[in-house]
C-alpha cells in the first residue's frame, strides 16, 4: 500500500511538475512574444517569427503559418519550418477557402478548427479540395489546428500549427495558440495605429514644412516690395528642398516665349543654354504643352519621351544631356487665366513628384504671380508718385510764379522768379527771359538764372533782332524750339558765346500775345541731348506766365496812371460838391428865414392866399435843404472830412426823440408807430446827432413806403452791443435789390423814387455812419411781407472812429 501510494504521489508530482513546466514554458513564450511586440513597434515580421517559433516548439508541431484575411483571400504573411514546396505553392496560389474545407469552416464560424487527420477529410479522400490535397501531399500535413485572429469579432487572419503525423493537439496547446493569435491581433493593431501615427506625423511635418516655406516666401514678398530676385530665390530654394528635386527654374513670359528669370542649383551649361534658347509655344515638348494647355505637366522620365527618343527635339535633348533631367514638373503661373510664366522642378533620377509636392509648387507659382503683380503695381505706383511729385513741384512753382505775378508790379522780380523756377524744374543749369523792345525792334535781356556776369554782359550787348535765325524759327512755328547739341547747329555769334560758357543744349519758348511775339524764355543745359516733351510743355506754361506778367505790368502802369487821374478828378468833384452845397445853403437859409418871418406875421398880417403859397415855398425849401445836406455829408465822407463827435448818450432817449419827430408823419398816413425799448440799457458812447440822423432816415423810409399797417422800433442790448431794429409792413424788397439800396443814388426802382421822392443817398450815408461807429446795418425783407432794417453798434465807439 505504501509502495502504491508512493507511486501515485510520485506520478502526481511528476504530472504536476510537467504541468508547471508546460505552464511556465507557455508563460515564458508569451512574455517573450510580448517583449518582442514591445521592442519592435510597427514591425510585424519579428513578432510573427517569435510567435510561430514558440507555438511550433511548445505545441510539438512540425511547422506553422500565419495568414491575413482580406475578406476573400487568405494571404500568407509568416511561416516557420514550412516545407519549401508547400510554402511556394501557398505563396503563388490564391487561397479562397469555402465552407467545405477546414479553413472555410474556421472563417464561417470564427472559431478554432482542429483536424486530427486531414487525410481523412472528404476534401482529400474524394479529391474535392485542392488546398487540402496540397497540404497533405506537399506538406505531409495530417493533424493541424487553425485558430482565428479576431478584432471586434471581425476576422483579420489565422494562426495555424501543423503535425506530419496523426496526433491531435491538447487543449492547453490549442489555448496557447489562441493566446498567440490574440497577441498577433494586438501586434497588428498596434502596427496599424503606429503606422497611422507615423503617417499622420509625416503628413503634419510635411504640411508644417510647406506652410513654413510658404510663410517664408510671403515674408520675403512683403520685405522686398518690387524686388523679384529675392522672392524667386526663396521660392526655388524651398521648392527644391521640400520636393526633393535636384534643381529648379522660374521662367517669365515674353510674347510667345518663356525666358529664364531665376535658377537654383541648375547646372551652369544647362542654364546658359536656356538663356540663349527660350521656350516657345510652338516648340512642343512638355513645356510647350504646359504653355498651350495652361495646366501643369508632369513627366516621369523625360529620357523615355518621344520628343527625346524619336524626335530628338533640342529642348528635350538639352534637358536630358546637359541638365541630366529625368523626372520633370512644369507648373504654369496664371493671372486671370493668362500665362505669365512657369515654375519648373527637375530630378536627375526617375522618381515622380507626389500630389502634395505638385500642390506645393502650384502654391509657389500662385505666390510668384502675386509677387510679379505686386512688383508691377508698386513700380506703377512709384512711377505715378514720381509723376505726381513732379506735378506737385510744377504746380508749386507755378503757384509761386502766379503769386509773384499777382503780388508785385515789379516786372524784374516776376521774370526772375519765372526763369528761376523754369530752370530748376527743367533740370537745366541756366535760363534767361528776353523782352521785345518795340521802339528798337530787338530783344532785351531782362532776367537771368545760373549765368555768370561775363555771359550776362556778352548776351546783353548782343543785339537780337527779328532777323535772327532763332527768332525766325519761333515766328514760323509759334512753338518751343530746341537744339539738342549746339555744336551740330550752324555757327553763329550767339552759339559761340553760349558754347564758350560751357552749354551744349538749348530750349527756347516764345512769349506771344495774340499774333505778336513779346519776348522769349530760354533754358540752357551743359549736357547735350533732346529735352523731354513734359519739359517742353512746362516751358510753354512758364512762357504763358511770362506773357501774363509782362501784360500785367503794362496794365498796372496804365491803371496807376488812370487811378491818379481819377483820384484828382474825385478830389475836384468832392471839393466842387462841398463848395456848391455851401453856396446853395446860404441863399436857401435866407429864403427859409424870410418865409418863416412872413408866416409869423412879423411884417403884418399876410393874406390867406399868400400864406398858402409861402407855406408851399417853406416845405419845398426844407426838402431842398435836406437834399443839399445829404450831398454835403456824402462829399465829406468821400473826401474823408466827416468826423464823429463822440459823447455819452442814452439809446432810449434817442429812440424816443425819433419817435416824437416822426409820429405826425405816421399819423397823417394812419399808421401805427410802436416802440419797444429793453429795460436797463447801458449808457452808450458815440455821435448822438449822427445816430439820430441814421434812425430818422430808417424810420422815415419805413413810413414813406408803408401804406397800411404799422412801423415798429425795437432797441435791445447783448454782448456789449446795441441792436436797433426798424420793422415795417410795407411792400418789401426783392433779394436782388437788397445790396443795391445801400449804394449812392439808388432806391428799389426809379418809379418809387419819383413817387416817394428822395435822392437815394440816405441809406448810403447811414451805412457809412454806422460803419464809422464800428457797427453794421443789415436788411431782412421779402416781397409782400415788409422789411426789417437792423443796426448793430458797439456800446462804446472808440476814439479811432473815423470815416472808412
Amino acid at each position: 500500500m505504501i509502495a502504491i501510494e508512493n507511486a501515485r504521489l510520485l506520478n502526481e508530482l511528476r504530472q504536476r511538475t510537467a504541468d508547471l513546466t508546460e505552464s511556465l514554458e507557455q508563460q515564458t513564450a508569451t512574455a517573450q512574444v510580448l517583449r518582442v511586440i514591445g521592442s519592435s513597434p510597427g514591425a510585424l515580421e519579428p513578432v510573427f517569427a517569435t510567435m510561430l517559433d514558440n507555438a511550433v516548439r511548445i505545441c510539438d508541431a512540425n511547422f506553422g503559418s500565419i495568414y491575413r484575411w482580406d475578406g476573400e483571400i487568405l494571404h500568407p504573411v509568416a511561416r516557420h519550418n514550412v516545407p519549401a514546396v508547400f510554402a511556394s505553392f501557398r505563396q503563388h496560389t490564391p487561397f479562397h477557402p469555402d465552407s467545405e474545407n477546414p479553413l472555410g469552416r474556421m472563417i464561417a464560424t470564427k472559431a478554432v478548427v482542429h483536424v486530427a487527420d486531414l487525410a481523412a477529410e472528404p476534401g482529400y479522400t474524394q479529391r474535392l479540395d485542392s488546398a487540402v490535397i496540397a497540404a497533405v501531399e506537399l506538406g505531409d500535413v495530417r493533424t493541424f489546428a487553425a485558430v482565428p485572429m479576431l478584432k471586434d469579432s471581425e476576422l483579420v487572419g489565422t494562426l495555424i500549427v501543423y503535425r506530419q503525423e496523426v496526433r491531435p493537439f491538447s487543449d492547453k496547446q490549442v489555448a496557447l495558440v489562441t493566446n498567440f493569435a490574440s497577441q498577433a491581433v494586438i501586434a497588428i493593431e498596434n502596427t496599424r495605429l503606429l503606422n497611422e501615427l507615423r503617417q499622420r506625423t509625416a503628413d503634419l511635418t510635411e504640411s508644417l514644412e510647406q506652410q513654413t516655406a510658404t510663410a517664408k516666401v510671403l515674408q520675403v514678398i512683403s520685405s522686398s516690395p518690387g524686388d523679384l530676385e529675392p522672392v524667386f530665390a526663396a521660392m526655388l530654394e524651398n521648392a527644391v528642398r521640400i520636393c526633393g528635386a535636384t534643381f529648379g527654374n522660374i521662367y517669365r513670359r515674353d510674347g510667345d516665349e518663356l525666358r529664364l528669370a531665376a535658377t537654383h542649383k541648375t547646372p551652369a551649361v544647362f542654364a546658359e543654354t536656356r538663356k540663349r534658347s527660350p521656350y516657345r509655344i510652338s516648340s512642343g515638348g512638355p513645356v510647350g504643352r504646359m504653355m498651350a494647355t495652361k495646366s501643369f505637366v508632369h513627366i516621369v522620365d523625360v529620357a523615355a519621351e518621344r520628343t527625346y527618343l524619336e524626335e530628338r527635339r533640342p529642348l528635350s535633348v538639352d534637358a536630358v544631356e546637359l541638365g541630366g533631367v529625368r523626372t520633370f514638373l512644369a507648373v504654369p503661373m496664371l493671372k486671370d487665366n493668362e500665362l505669365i510664366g512657369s515654375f519648373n522642378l527637375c530630378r536627375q533620377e526617375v522618381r515622380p513628384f507626389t500630389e502634395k509636392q505638385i500642390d506645393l509648387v502650384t502654391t509657389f507659382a500662385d505666390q510668384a504671380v502675386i509677387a510679379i503683380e505686386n512688383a508691377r503695381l508698386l513700380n506703377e505706383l512709384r512711377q505715378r508718385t514720381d509723376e505726381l511729385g513732379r506735378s506737385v513741384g510744377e504746380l508749386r512753382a507755378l503757384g509761386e510764379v502766379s503769386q509773384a505775378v499777382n503780388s508785385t508790379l515789379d516786372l524784374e522780380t516776376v521774370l526772375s522768379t519765372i526763369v528761376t523756377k523754369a530752370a530748376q524744374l527743367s533740370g537745366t543749369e541756366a535760363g534767361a527771359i528776353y523782352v521785345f523792345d518795340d521802339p528798337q525792334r530787338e530783344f532785351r535781356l531782362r532776367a537771368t538764372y545760373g549765368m555768370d556776369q561775363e555771359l550776362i554782359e556778352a548776351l546783353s550787348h548782343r543785339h537780337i533782332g527779328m532777323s535772327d535765325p532763332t527768332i525766325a524759327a519761333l515766328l514760323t512755328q509759334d512753338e518751343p524750339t530746341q537744339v539738342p547739341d549746339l555744336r551740330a547747329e550752324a555757327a553763329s555769334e550767339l552759339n559761340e558765346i553760349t558754347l564758350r560758357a560751357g552749354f551744349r543744349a538749348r530750349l527756347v519758348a516764345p512769349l506771344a500775345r495774340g499774333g505778336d511775339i513779346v519776348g522769349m524764355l530760354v533754358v540752357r543745359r551743359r549736357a547735350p541731348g533732346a529735352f523731354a516733351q513734359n519739359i517742353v510743355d512746362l516751358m510753354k506754361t512758364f512762357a504763358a506766365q511770362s506773357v501774363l506778367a509782362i501784360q500785367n505790368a503794362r496794365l498796372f502802369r496804365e491803371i496807376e496812371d488812370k487811378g491818379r487821374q481819377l483820384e484828382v478828378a474825385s478830389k475836384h468833384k468832392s471839393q466842387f460838391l462841398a463848395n456848391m452845397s455851401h453856396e446853395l445853403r446860404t441863399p436857401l437859409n435866407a429864403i427859409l428865414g424870410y418865409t418863416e418871418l412872413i408866416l409869423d406875421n412879423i411884417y403884418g398880417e399876410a393874406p390867406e392866399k399868400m400864406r398858402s403859397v409861402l407855406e408851399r415855398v417853406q416845405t419845398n425849401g426844407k426838402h431842398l435843404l435836406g437834399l443839399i445836406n445829404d450831398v454835403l455829408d456824402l462829399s465829406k465822407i468821400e473826401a474823408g472830412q466827416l468826423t464823429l463827435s463822440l459823447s455819452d448818450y442814452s439809446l432810449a432817449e434817442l429812440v424816443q426823440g425819433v419817435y416824437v419827430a416822426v409820429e405826425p408823419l405816421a399819423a397823417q398816413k394812419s399808421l401805427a408807430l410802436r416802440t419797444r425799448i429793453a429795460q436797463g440799457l447801458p449808457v452808450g458812447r458815440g455821435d448822438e446827432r449822427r445816430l439820430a440822423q441814421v434812425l430818422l432816415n430808417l424810420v422815415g423810409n419805413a413810413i414813406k413806403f408803408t401804406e397800411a399797417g404799422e412801423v415798429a422800433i425795437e432797441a435791445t442790448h447783448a454782448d456789449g452791443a446795441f441792436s436797433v431794429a426798424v420793422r415795417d409792413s410795407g411792400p418789401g424788397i426783392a433779394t436782388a435789390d437788397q445790396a443795391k439800396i445801400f449804394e449812392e443814388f439808388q432806391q428799389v426802382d426809379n418809379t418809387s423814387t419819383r413817387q416817394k421822392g428822395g435822392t437815394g443817398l440816405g441809406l448810403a450815408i447811414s451805412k457809412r455812419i454806422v460803419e464809422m461807429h464800428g457797427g453794421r446795418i443789415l436788411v431782412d425783407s421779402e416781397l409782400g411781407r415788409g422789411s426789417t432794417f437792423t443796426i448793430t453798434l458797439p456800446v462804446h465807439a472808440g476814439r479811432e472812429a473815423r470815416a472808412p
Side-chain angles (χ1 to χ4, degrees):
M1 290 295 293
I2 293 172
I4 292 172
E5 185 66 13
N6 285 345
R8 184 185 65 79
L9 291 174
L10 182 60
N11 289 334
E12 288 182 358
L13 178 61
R14 286 174 176 169
Q15 184 61 42
R16 182 63 176 164
T17 301
D19 291 343
L20 289 174
T21 301
E22 184 180 11
S23 178
L24 177 62
E25 189 176 17
Q26 291 181 3
Q27 291 179 4
T28 302
T30 301
Q32 184 179 2
V33 170
L34 291 174
R35 185 167 56 253
V36 173
I37 292 174
S39 63
S40 303
L44 291 175
E45 184 177 351
V47 175
F48 289 165
T50 302
M51 284 181 179
L52 289 174
D53 175 70
N54 283 278
V56 169
R57 177 174 53 81
I58 295 174
C59 293
D60 194 21
N62 296 105
F63 57 92
S65 299
I66 294 178
Y67 292 82
R68 294 290 298 275
W69 174 246
D70 65 2
E72 294 182 359
I73 301 175
L74 283 172
H75 301 275
V77 294
R79 61 179 65 91
H80 180 74
N81 290 337
V82 178
V85 62
F86 183 49
S88 177
F89 174 80
R90 275 285 166 262
Q91 187 70 33
H92 297 94
T93 303
F95 192 4
H96 296 273
D98 56 42
S99 59
E100 299 299 326
N101 62 31
L103 289 181
R105 294 197 299 274
M106 183 272 299
I107 294 173
T109 61
K110 298 178 183 177
V112 175
V113 173
H114 185 193
V115 179
D117 187 0
L118 190 60
E121 283 284 305
Y124 179 76
T125 59
Q126 300 176 18
R127 312 297 287 181
L128 297 177
D129 193 324
S130 61
V132 174
I133 295 171
V136 174
E137 296 183 359
L138 298 180
D140 293 330
V141 178
R142 299 300 297 273
T143 298
F144 85 97
V147 179
M149 294 158 50
L150 301 175
K151 176 183 178 293
D152 298 332
S153 300
E154 292 295 326
L155 185 72
V156 298
T158 180
L159 194 156
I160 306 173
V161 289
Y162 305 87
R163 280 179 176 160
Q164 293 175 331
E165 59 180 325
V166 179
R167 183 163 53 92
F169 293 98
S170 67
D171 291 341
K172 288 186 178 181
Q173 291 172 335
V174 173
L176 174 64
V177 176
T178 302
N179 186 36
F180 282 150
S182 299
Q183 290 178 338
V185 172
I186 294 172
I188 292 172
E189 183 64 12
N190 287 347
T191 299
R192 183 186 66 81
L193 292 175
L194 184 59
N195 289 337
E196 287 182 359
L197 178 62
R198 286 173 176 171
Q199 184 61 42
R200 181 63 176 164
T201 302
D203 291 343
L204 290 174
T205 302
E206 184 180 12
S207 178
L208 178 61
E209 190 175 23
Q210 292 181 1
Q211 291 178 5
T212 302
T214 302
K216 288 181 180 178
V217 171
L218 291 175
Q219 183 179 4
V220 174
I221 291 175
S222 61
S223 63
S224 303
D227 188 2
L228 293 175
E229 184 176 349
V231 175
F232 287 168
M235 286 180 176
L236 286 173
E237 190 274 330
N238 283 280
V240 169
R241 174 175 53 81
I242 296 175
C243 295
T246 309
F247 60 90
N249 300 323
I250 291 178
Y251 294 83
R252 294 284 303 277
R253 182 170 183 174
D254 182 10
D256 290 336
E257 297 179 340
L258 285 179
R259 296 188 175 275
L260 190 63
T263 63
H264 181 72
K265 294 186 176 180
T266 304
V269 63
F270 182 51
E272 289 298 322
T273 303
R274 277 291 170 265
K275 289 179 181 179
R276 293 193 305 268
S277 304
Y279 289 111
R280 296 179 180 272
I281 292 180
S282 59
S283 61
V287 176
R289 294 201 299 273
M290 183 274 297
M291 296 174 70
T293 61
K294 298 178 184 176
S295 60
F296 77 87
V297 172
H298 184 199
I299 307 300
V300 176
D301 189 358
V302 178
E305 281 277 298
R306 185 182 62 189
T307 55
Y308 175 73
L309 291 174
E310 301 175 10
E311 300 176 5
R312 300 294 292 177
R313 297 206 175 192
L315 296 178
S316 296
V317 172
D318 292 342
V320 175
E321 299 182 3
L322 298 180
V325 180
R326 298 301 299 272
T327 297
F328 173 77
L329 174 64
V331 176
M333 293 155 50
L334 301 174
K335 177 183 177 294
D336 298 331
N337 204 35
E338 289 296 324
L339 183 75
I340 64 171
S342 176
F343 200 114
N344 297 0
L345 290 185
C346 302
R347 282 177 174 156
Q348 292 177 330
E349 59 179 327
V350 178
R351 182 162 54 93
F353 293 96
T354 66
E355 290 185 4
K356 289 186 177 180
Q357 291 170 340
I358 295 174
D359 290 341
L360 175 64
V361 177
T362 302
T363 300
F364 281 143
D366 293 339
Q367 290 179 337
V369 173
I370 294 173
I372 292 171
E373 184 66 8
N374 286 349
R376 182 186 67 81
L377 292 175
L378 184 60
N379 291 332
E380 288 182 359
L381 178 61
R382 286 172 175 169
Q383 183 178 358
R384 183 62 177 161
T385 302
D386 292 341
E387 292 175 356
L388 289 175
R390 288 195 299 270
S391 297
V392 169
E394 293 173 3
L395 290 173
R396 185 181 293 113
L398 291 173
E400 294 176 3
V401 169
S402 298
Q403 183 179 4
V405 170
N406 297 322
S407 63
T408 179
L409 300 178
D410 186 2
L411 182 59
E412 276 68 22
T413 300
V414 177
L415 295 182
S416 294
T417 302
I418 292 175
V419 72
T420 298
K421 297 300 180 183
Q424 290 174 349
L425 289 179
S426 63
T428 56
E429 291 83 11
I433 291 180
Y434 293 82
V435 176
F436 185 64
D437 186 349
D438 194 53
Q440 298 294 328
R441 306 299 296 172
E442 63 182 23
F443 292 86
R444 299 287 187 183
L445 188 63
R446 292 294 297 270
T448 63
Y449 172 80
M451 297 166 53
D452 57 30
Q453 192 60 36
E454 182 180 354
L455 179 58
I456 293 174
E457 291 181 359
L459 294 177
S460 298
H461 292 91
R462 172 74 169 81
H463 298 285
I464 305 175
M466 301 295 287
S467 60
D468 188 277
T470 302
I471 305 304
L474 289 176
L475 292 176
T476 56
Q477 297 183 18
D478 196 25
E479 288 287 331
T481 60
Q482 60 172 300
V483 180
D485 193 349
L486 292 173
R487 292 181 180 177
E489 195 182 34
S492 67
E493 182 180 352
L494 186 61
N495 277 1
E496 290 299 326
I497 294 173
T498 308
L499 284 170
R500 281 199 303 270
F503 297 102
R504 294 286 300 278
R506 182 185 67 209
L507 175 63
V508 181
L511 311 183
R513 185 180 67 247
D516 300 328
I517 186 167
V518 298
M520 55 185 176
L521 171 63
V522 184
V523 290
R524 298 181 177 91
R525 192 174 59 206
R526 297 188 181 278
F531 291 87
Q533 185 59 42
N534 66 308
I535 301 299
V536 175
D537 294 338
L538 185 63
M539 291 304 104
K540 291 173 65 176
T541 303
F542 279 120
Q545 292 279 12
S546 302
V547 172
L548 181 61
I550 295 170
Q551 187 174 1
N552 284 352
R554 183 179 293 112
L555 291 175
F556 283 143
R557 285 195 299 269
E558 294 177 359
I559 291 172
E560 278 188 322
D561 293 340
K562 296 295 183 183
R564 284 191 293 269
Q565 295 174 13
L566 290 174
E567 184 179 359
V568 172
S570 179
K571 287 183 178 180
H572 290 166
K573 180 205 70 171
S574 298
Q575 188 63 43
F576 171 75
L577 288 176
N579 292 339
M580 286 301 298
S581 298
H582 179 72
E583 294 299 327
L584 289 173
R585 288 175 66 185
T586 300
L588 186 58
N589 283 331
I591 293 171
L592 291 175
Y594 282 113
T595 301
E596 188 173 357
L597 290 176
I598 294 172
L599 290 174
D600 289 342
N601 297 322
I602 297 298
Y603 299 106
E605 188 72 27
E608 189 62 31
K609 191 175 183 178
M610 183 183 293
R611 291 183 66 84
S612 177
V613 173
L614 290 174
E615 287 174 355
R616 187 175 299 174
V617 171
Q618 187 181 42
T619 300
N620 285 283
K622 288 181 178 179
H623 179 67
L624 180 59
L625 181 61
L627 297 179
I628 293 172
N629 286 335
D630 286 345
V631 173
L632 183 60
D633 286 344
L634 181 63
S635 63
K636 286 183 178 180
I637 291 173
E638 290 182 347
Q641 297 175 357
L642 182 65
T643 58
L644 300 180
S645 177
L646 302 180
S647 62
D648 294 340
Y649 69 92
S650 169
L651 180 60
E653 293 179 0
L654 189 150
V655 173
Q656 191 61 35
V658 171
Y659 174 83
V660 171
V662 299
E663 197 276 334
L665 297 176
Q668 289 178 5
K669 300 184 69 172
S670 300
L671 297 175
L673 181 62
R674 307 180 190 280
T675 61
R676 189 172 73 178
I677 302 173
Q679 297 295 323
L681 291 177
V683 175
R685 183 169 182 80
D687 192 327
E688 184 177 3
R689 184 176 69 84
R690 291 296 184 183
L691 293 177
Q693 177 184 348
V694 172
L695 191 56
L696 277 170
N697 179 266
L698 295 179
V699 179
N701 285 345
I703 295 172
K704 182 192 302 183
F705 290 98
T706 302
E707 300 299 332
E710 69 172 15
V711 175
I713 308 171
E714 181 179 351
T716 58
H717 166 261
D719 299 328
F722 289 133
S723 178
V724 182
V726 178
R727 187 178 299 104
D728 64 59
S729 57
I733 304 171
T735 303
D737 295 327
Q738 291 178 13
K740 184 173 66 174
I741 60 176
F742 290 104
E743 298 176 4
E744 293 88 350
F745 306 104
Q746 294 290 335
Q747 285 187 341
V748 174
D749 58 58
N750 289 333
T751 302
S752 293
T753 303
R754 295 294 177 261
Q755 290 178 353
K756 305 298 182 181
T759 61
L761 294 175
L763 288 177
I765 294 172
S766 297
K767 182 174 181 292
R768 302 289 184 92
I769 291 173
V770 171
E771 290 174 347
M772 290 174 66
H773 279 80
R776 59 179 182 167
I777 181 170
L778 302 173
V779 61
D780 181 15
S781 182
E782 185 178 349
L783 285 176
R785 296 182 179 274
S787 304
T788 300
F789 285 82
T790 304
I791 303 170
T792 303
L793 293 167
V795 174
H796 297 282
R799 295 178 179 272
E800 68 280 2
R802 55 184 174 81

